[in-house]
Amino acid sequence: MKKRVMRGLSVPQAIVECLKQERISHLFGVPGESYLPLLDALYDEPTLQFISARHEGGAAFMAEAYAKASGKPGVVLATRGVGASNLAIGVHTARQDSTPLVVLLGQVHRRFRGREGFQEVELDEWFRPLAKWAVEITDPERVPELVQRAFRVAKTGRPGPVVVSIPEDVFASTVAEAVLMTMDVPRPAPADDEVKRIEAALAAARRPLIVAGGGVKRGRAEQALRRVAEQYSLPVVAAFRRHDVFPHDHPLYVGHLGLGAPAAVVETAKQADVILAVGTRLAEVTTQDYTWPLPHQMLIHIDIDEEALGKVFSADIAVAADAHEALCALLGRHIVPTWNEWVLERRQAYEETARLPQPPRNVQEAIIAQLQAQLPDDGMITNDAGNFAGWLHTFFSFKEQHMYIGPTSGAMGYGLPAAIGAKLAHPERPAVSLSGDGGFLMTAAELETASRYGVPVISLVFNNRMYGTIRMYQELQFPGRVVGSGLGEVSFARLARALGANGVTVETADEFAAAFKQALTATKPTVIEVMTEPEQLSVTMRLSDR
């Protein structure tokens, strides 16, 4: 722990020192008059770059993805009620994804509070149900203390978003003394008796299964997970949108429990007699609408957030611990696998679901094949919500860790700004976003942001002229009665060029292969618009099937 005492700082300077302490490189937001002094303080700090976005929702997505990619907190800035309302979707995403995010909001002048001043909202009360913590700082002397606390809260335990509002006149004040301290994130380890109980349960199992979630990724525990799995021949499934938690080409990987999970993968989860859930809150999608774990299955639940233990399912063994510490504690135990034949069977069942048909049956399958072939090993993939993602989730083989960034909140409009945030965290790595035409247009303005700052992200837009997921559910529940899910014709390639990016439209695998190869070496953003047939609603469903 390192302590610094600084005196006579302005409030904006004190905030900048707190930001520098987190070793972040970028902040995101839309400028607002309520926090202009903070922007001015950033002008004098070369280690911090403010990325001025086109919409606060896009800025929040950038910051959230920056946090996932960098392992550091994301920071987003906005003004009063209007900016705060626009970025609320990013706060919700950070909450559901357990992402450390600090939101700094300019607030109405203290003299005007309580009068429904211009753009006035009780920001701390408004965000309290949505954020991990929300606070308004009215005493300038407490700014260093509470901003540092905001970062600690965002990073510790189950990470999440913290909202800090500061009245605009507070920015004009001076802090007599600021005590600045760095603090390591606590990583609680399991108790010896808890480890012994887990050891006994696994030793007695016949069909054990690991469910690995975001806590493994946040704890940088992927290698520890692999060592445990290999030592005891334990099969691993990835929780919803945590694809890169375990390499898909590993013989112990048996699938992803996501939306529309293949029946064979769900069957693996149901056949298990002991489930070791690590770093997952066992949310709705991962548990397939809370249909498992089944009553006869033993559940061992390890999570850093003790509130997650028993919140959804009562665990036979509940352990509040950091994923890395817990997995390392399980190494070298007396567990002799007797389930190798079952693991082989479930691996083969997974491989059958993940094998790309040859030849491809549609352009989506062909695109995933090309993406697999051309994307470098250090590439990063982000995606929006929508049925188009089913092809990625089903057929793309994630072999490297820290490769995938997706919203478990199911937020549309996430893919493009997330790719920008990830690329700024790792400028040396290719960043590719996948979106449907509906989701892409929700934050397409951020393409200009990428162009302005020279961030060469690659955006794949699957265009079927509809909100495909909603159309699918309409056809399943109300066949032939289409309301609201149809969309108009948009040339995304022309839109990209108008916003300073490269834009190309493709209809075949060969056209995509050439366009993607060129995009990988481009110095400015590229949009590849993939024309898809509306008939193909999802990986497994066509309109004519209804």
Side-chain angles (χ1 to χ4, degrees):
M1 184 176 293
K2 184 179 179 182
K3 180 185 294 187
R4 293 181 296 149
V5 179
M6 304 183 75
R7 295 179 175 84
L9 295 176
S10 69
V11 164
Q13 289 172 334
I15 294 173
V16 167
E17 290 300 323
C18 293
L19 296 171
K20 288 168 59 179
Q21 193 164 259
E22 298 299 325
R23 298 181 296 111
I24 61 175
S25 57
H26 293 81
L27 304 87
F28 306 86
V30 174
E33 66 272 22
S34 64
Y35 69 96
L36 280 176
L38 178 55
L39 289 176
D40 184 68
L42 291 172
Y43 183 89
D44 296 322
E45 182 46 62
T47 66
L48 295 170
Q49 183 178 11
F50 177 72
I51 302 297
S52 181
R54 285 288 182 161
H55 189 275
E56 290 90 351
F61 283 150
M62 292 178 203
E64 197 269 353
Y66 171 90
K68 284 175 176 167
S70 68
K72 304 170 185 176
V75 179
V76 60
L77 282 62
T79 187
R80 302 177 187 166
V82 289
S85 60
N86 280 344
L87 63 75
I89 188 173
V91 176
H92 177 256
T93 297
R95 184 62 170 166
Q96 292 227 319
D97 281 38
S98 304
T99 304
L101 180 72
V102 173
V103 180
L104 298 175
L105 299 175
Q107 177 59 294
V108 173
H109 195 294
R110 283 178 293 180
R111 287 203 313 266
F112 306 152
R113 296 288 275 114
R115 298 177 177 179
E116 198 176 344
F118 182 57
Q119 300 177 349
E120 181 179 5
V121 173
E122 298 294 335
L123 293 171
D124 52 340
E125 293 184 16
W126 183 17
F127 277 103
R128 196 161 288 131
L130 200 59
K132 186 178 178 184
W133 182 49
V135 63
E136 182 163 312
I137 309 176
T138 57
D139 181 354
E141 293 295 335
R142 297 196 67 190
V143 167
E145 168 207 341
L146 291 174
V147 171
Q148 290 179 92
R149 180 179 172 188
F151 279 105
R152 286 198 297 272
V153 172
K155 294 186 296 182
T156 57
R158 176 188 171 186
V162 172
V163 177
V164 179
S165 63
I166 304 174
E168 59 181 293
D169 59 304
V170 171
F171 285 110
S173 303
T174 300
V175 178
E177 182 177 270
V179 179
L180 301 166
M181 300 177 64
T182 58
M183 189 190 81
D184 295 331
V185 175
R187 302 194 179 280
D192 289 342
D193 66 314
E194 292 173 328
V195 176
K196 289 176 181 177
R197 290 178 65 201
I198 296 173
E199 176 184 8
L202 292 175
R206 293 176 298 137
R207 295 181 301 276
L209 177 68
I210 296 177
V211 181
V216 176
K217 288 166 58 71
R218 287 187 301 276
R220 298 297 194 256
E222 293 92 342
Q223 289 304 314
L225 171 64
R226 182 167 180 167
R227 290 170 63 197
V228 168
E230 289 176 345
Q231 188 168 109
Y232 309 122
S233 297
L234 294 170
V236 177
V237 292
F240 178 46
R241 288 188 170 162
R242 307 304 191 187
H243 301 281
D244 54 349
V245 74
F246 199 83
H248 293 197
D249 57 348
H250 195 287
L252 291 172
Y253 181 75
V254 292
H256 165 238
L257 288 165
L259 291 164
V265 177
V266 177
E267 180 62 22
T268 298
K270 291 184 176 180
Q271 284 187 16
D273 63 342
V274 176
I275 295 170
L276 176 58
V278 184
T280 171
R281 56 189 174 89
L282 295 173
E284 177 184 349
V285 178
T286 297
T287 61
Q288 305 297 292
D289 295 336
Y290 303 113
T291 59
W292 75 274
L294 300 168
H296 69 273
Q297 294 175 308
M298 171 177 279
L299 174 61
I300 305 168
H301 195 180
I302 300 172
D303 198 273
I304 198 167
D305 179 16
E306 60 184 24
E307 290 187 9
L309 304 175
K311 183 176 183 179
V312 179
F313 294 97
S314 296
D316 297 272
I317 303 174
V319 180
D322 172 74
H324 185 271
E325 296 295 326
L327 288 166
C328 287
L330 288 173
L331 291 168
R333 300 287 163 172
H334 186 67
I335 302 170
V336 180
T338 59
W339 44 78
N340 289 325
E341 186 175 336
W342 180 70
V343 175
L344 178 61
E345 173 192 316
R346 300 326 301 167
R347 171 66 186 181
Q348 290 173 342
Y350 157 71
E351 289 178 346
E352 290 176 9
T353 70
R355 188 176 296 115
L356 265 167
Q358 294 297 331
R361 297 167 296 184
N362 48 61
V363 69
Q364 291 95 325
E365 292 177 353
I367 297 304
I368 297 303
Q370 284 295 324
L371 188 63
Q372 190 82 66
Q374 290 200 49
L375 186 66
D377 290 342
D378 66 344
M380 298 179 290
I381 293 177
T382 71
N383 68 258
D384 254 67
N387 275 4
F388 71 89
W391 282 273
L392 175 74
H393 295 345
T394 302
F395 297 120
F396 191 88
S397 180
F398 290 87
K399 300 174 183 177
E400 302 293 333
Q401 61 191 44
H402 310 311
M403 188 179 187
Y404 174 77
I405 296 172
T408 65
S409 68
M412 295 180 71
Y414 181 85
L416 168 61
I420 295 170
K423 181 70 173 177
L424 288 169
H426 296 289
E428 75 286 357
R429 299 173 62 183
V432 181
S433 72
L434 281 73
S435 304
D437 55 314
F440 184 80
L441 208 51
M442 290 184 178
T443 51
E446 303 309 343
L447 196 57
E448 191 279 329
T449 304
S451 298
R452 184 167 18 105
Y453 288 101
V455 187
V457 294
I458 303 171
S459 299
L460 311 185
V461 182
F462 295 85
N463 188 357
N464 63 358
R465 286 77 69 196
M466 68 172 70
Y467 290 121
T469 302
I470 306 307
R471 178 64 183 277
M472 179 186 72
Y473 286 119
Q474 279 183 330
E475 294 294 344
L476 289 171
Q477 298 179 43
F478 308 102
R481 298 173 63 83
V482 181
V483 179
S485 56
L487 297 173
E489 296 287 340
V490 176
S491 172
F492 290 93
R494 288 170 57 193
L495 176 64
R497 293 192 290 271
L499 294 175
N502 298 318
V504 60
T505 300
V506 304
E507 297 184 10
T508 68
D510 289 343
E511 290 174 346
F512 175 81
F516 190 70
K517 181 179 181 180
Q518 188 171 1
L520 284 170
T521 58
T523 56
K524 62 181 182 179
T526 299
V527 171
I528 303 177
E529 179 184 17
V530 182
M531 304 306 296
T532 64
E533 54 174 319
E535 168 74 13
Q536 190 72 52
L537 288 176
S538 72
V539 175
T540 58
M541 180 181 174
R542 295 177 66 84
L543 267 174
S544 55
D545 296 335
R546 63 178 174 84

